[in-house]
Amino acid sequence: MAYFTTVAANCRPFARLEPHRVVLIVIGLVLITAAAVFMRWDWLADYYMLAIAGLWRSIWILIVTCVFGFVLALPLGLAQVVGPSWLSLPAKAFCTVIRGTPLLLQIWLLYYGLGSLFPQYPWIRESDIWPLVRQAWPYAVLALTLSFAGYVGEVMRGAFAGVPSGQLEAGRAFGMNRWKLFRRVWLPQAIHKALPTLAGETVMQLKSTPLVATITVVDLYAVSARVRQDTLVIYEPLLLLALTYMVLTGLLVWIFSRIEARIPVRVG
Amino acid sequence: MTDSVFLSLAQTSMFELLAPTPPGWGGNLVRGFINSIGIGVGAFALGLVIGIGGAFGKLYGGPVRRDLLQVYTTLIRAVPELVLILLIYFAVPDLINRLLETLGYGRIDVSGPMAGIVALGFVQGAYATEVLRGAILAVPQGQIEAGRAFGMNPRMLMRRITLPAMLPFAIPGLANLWLVAFKGTALLAVVGFNELTLETRQAAGTTKAYFTFFMAAGVLYLLLTLISNVLIGRVEHWARRGRQPIAESR
């Protein structure tokens, strides 16, 4: 009578190895072994150096865009909470536009749009930034940074607004100036509140990075696409790619859970 | 030299480029937009069906079904949509054709939109499962027990109690999923399906008016998002009728 199981039955510890779970794990291992034995992996020897370089580029793009995007998201969130209307309205509009249009479109707008505009100005072609704007990765980093800032700006708006005003008043009563109050009271508590959401947004950002391959940045996904084109092996590179992203996602979730565990929580 | 840029931009004005009939490209954009909406609606509906089945399976199913669903939602949510779409886009027609060949039938062509709907819907299903599972758990369980005490069979219980009662808890998450589904249709541009983003790139590539066309497409996407938000607000208001407003119950 499985129909009458209660919710508590769902919450059994995952570690307990029940018989059906052992069977499922065995089936999973058999499937993985079969994939390793019967599918074609001979291309791996030729492409693994390229794949590692692509993996590194994906991770690098993820870290850079998340850090810059977060730094940009703080003023966006703050402006929407306490800013005057001439600051909060543009911030809100920015977040709405970013969240209301597909990332792929934003990337293509910047790459094809800006990219086609720059070469038409001779002074740009003679300046020092020309080698930079000729490549694709600055546009990828810019687009992903703005996208992350838009999504996280909205998260931080809620987080800043959610810090109890008594905390800020207490800080003010201690004679903290605005900057110190922000740095010591408001920001840490907001980040603490937003941490689970931030973890989710970072995983989303990781899953967005393959889009940069559409503008010729050679990330991990681009390497797998190249293997597909060169060797006409379709499934194996994609499956390996999916596995790699799963591992990366697991790593990110683990890192964030470690950060969360470091913050002391008082259980009432 | 700088004014040659503006000259080239001004030669064909924005309105001429966006005119609905050729040589304008407005018609192509609108066609792509309609394709996008169709795929988005289809994928969302498929995801909802999978999600309802998945949520009920996860809560009331046997141990094996629960574990398999857990594997499904975890794996799907850990892999980029683009990779999943490619996998499903290649794998589903391939599998269907192999199955047909072993059964002795001829090959069939799986249409692009259909494969797109299946790919996006399969991804949506994983997220919808989690949203609906949370929503069902948020329903006061006494209501479901009361229904059971009245002798309702599972189907009637689901139709009359669980689904209506969980709706207000599910709508914010589902609304988010709808927007994700609609924006996710842009990913089908990568596999060559003529939705709004790909139509836009073709138009922009031909006319070299990149900013005009990408901005126009952005406006279309944004418009649908904003209209959706208004409609979803109304639906949520309707689903919450007779309940406390959120702000006061907090």
Side-chain angles (χ1 to χ4, degrees), chain B residues 26-51:
Chain B
N28 292 49
L29 289 200
V30 170
R31 200 160 50 241
F33 188 48
I34 291 170
N35 277 345
S36 282
I37 295 177
I39 298 277
V41 170
F44 182 67
L46 181 62
L48 211 55
V49 171
I50 297 178

Side-chain angles (χ1 to χ4, degrees), chain A residues 65 82 128 131-132 140 163 171 181-182 196 202 232 234 243 247 251 257:
Chain A
T65 57
V82 287
D128 293 335
L132 202 66
V163 174
L181 185 71
F182 177 73
T202 313
L232 298 179
I234 295 179
L243 186 73
V247 172
L251 260 178
S257 73

Side-chain angles (χ1 to χ4, degrees), chain A:
Chain A
M1 298 293 280
Y3 178 66
F4 287 106
T5 46
T6 54
V7 176
N10 281 317
C11 308
R12 270 182 299 220
F14 194 71
R16 195 198 289 177
L17 281 177
E18 293 157 54
H20 77 273
R21 211 160 263 171
V22 174
V23 173
L24 285 180
I25 290 172
V26 169
I27 293 176
L29 287 179
V30 166
L31 281 179
I32 292 172
T33 327
V37 173
F38 294 114
M39 294 180 107
R40 277 188 58 191
W41 300 101
D42 49 330
W43 48 270
L44 215 54
D46 297 330
Y47 288 95
Y48 79 100
M49 284 309 289
L50 209 60
I52 288 173
L55 176 66
W56 171 240
R57 194 162 287 140
S58 286
I59 294 175
W60 179 85
I61 287 178
L62 174 72
I63 293 173
V64 169
T65 57
C66 281
V67 169
F68 282 117
F70 186 73
V71 170
L72 218 76
L74 291 181
L76 278 172
L78 212 54
Q80 289 183 67
V81 177
V82 287
S85 61
W86 57 271
L87 269 179
S88 69
L89 283 181
K92 193 166 172 48
F94 176 79
C95 288
T96 311
V97 169
I98 291 286
R99 295 170 55 215
T101 52
L103 177 57
L104 188 62
L105 190 81
Q106 296 162 17
I107 292 178
W108 284 0
L109 170 69
L110 287 181
Y111 180 64
Y112 293 111
L114 277 186
S116 69
L117 211 60
F118 283 143
Q120 295 171 335
Y121 296 97
W123 62 269
I124 288 184
R125 263 183 289 173
E126 285 152 19
S127 70
D128 293 335
I129 61 164
W130 176 240
L132 202 66
V133 298
R134 266 173 63 204
Q135 290 168 307
W137 67 265
Y139 301 100
V141 168
L142 181 63
L144 282 174
T145 302
L146 292 180
S147 159
F148 193 71
Y151 281 92
V152 172
E154 195 69 21
V155 173
M156 291 316 287
R157 179 188 65 87
F160 280 128
V163 174
S165 55
Q167 298 280 342
L168 303 181
E169 281 160 17
R172 239 171 263 139
F174 273 111
M176 292 184 180
N177 60 26
R178 277 179 165 185
W179 168 238
K180 193 179 259 181
L181 185 71
F182 177 73
R183 198 163 48 90
R184 290 219 183 142
V185 182
W186 210 1
L187 183 61
Q189 294 199 20
I191 290 180
H192 182 189
K193 265 190 198 313
L195 211 49
T197 325
L198 287 180
E201 292 295 341
T202 313
V203 171
M204 283 288 172
Q205 183 77 352
L206 168 71
K207 296 197 295 174
S208 304
T209 52
L211 291 180
V212 303
T214 60
I215 56 168
T216 70
V217 177
V218 185
D219 75 327
L220 191 58
Y221 171 82
V223 173
S224 96
R226 202 173 133 187
V227 173
R228 191 171 69 236
Q229 278 168 8
D230 289 356
T231 63
L232 298 179
V233 178
I234 295 179
Y235 297 114
E236 287 84 348
L238 279 174
L239 286 176
L240 193 62
L241 186 66
L243 186 73
T244 316
Y245 277 110
M246 270 176 223
V247 172
L248 287 179
T249 307
L251 260 178
L252 269 184
V253 171
W254 179 75
I255 291 172
F256 269 95
S257 73
R258 286 294 296 274
I259 298 175
E260 263 178 76
R262 283 184 48 164
I263 297 174
V265 181
R266 197 180 124 202
V267 181

Side-chain angles (χ1 to χ4, degrees), chain B residues 209-222:
Chain B
Y210 290 100
F211 266 116
T212 310
F213 281 109
F214 281 120
M215 288 287 188
V219 168
L220 285 179
Y221 277 112
L222 200 60

Side-chain angles (χ1 to χ4, degrees), chain B residues 186-202:
Chain B
L187 296 179
L188 294 178
V190 177
V191 290
F193 175 66
N194 269 15
E195 46 65 65
L196 180 52
T197 304
L198 191 62
E199 290 276 8
T200 307
R201 198 175 83 162
Q202 285 164 353

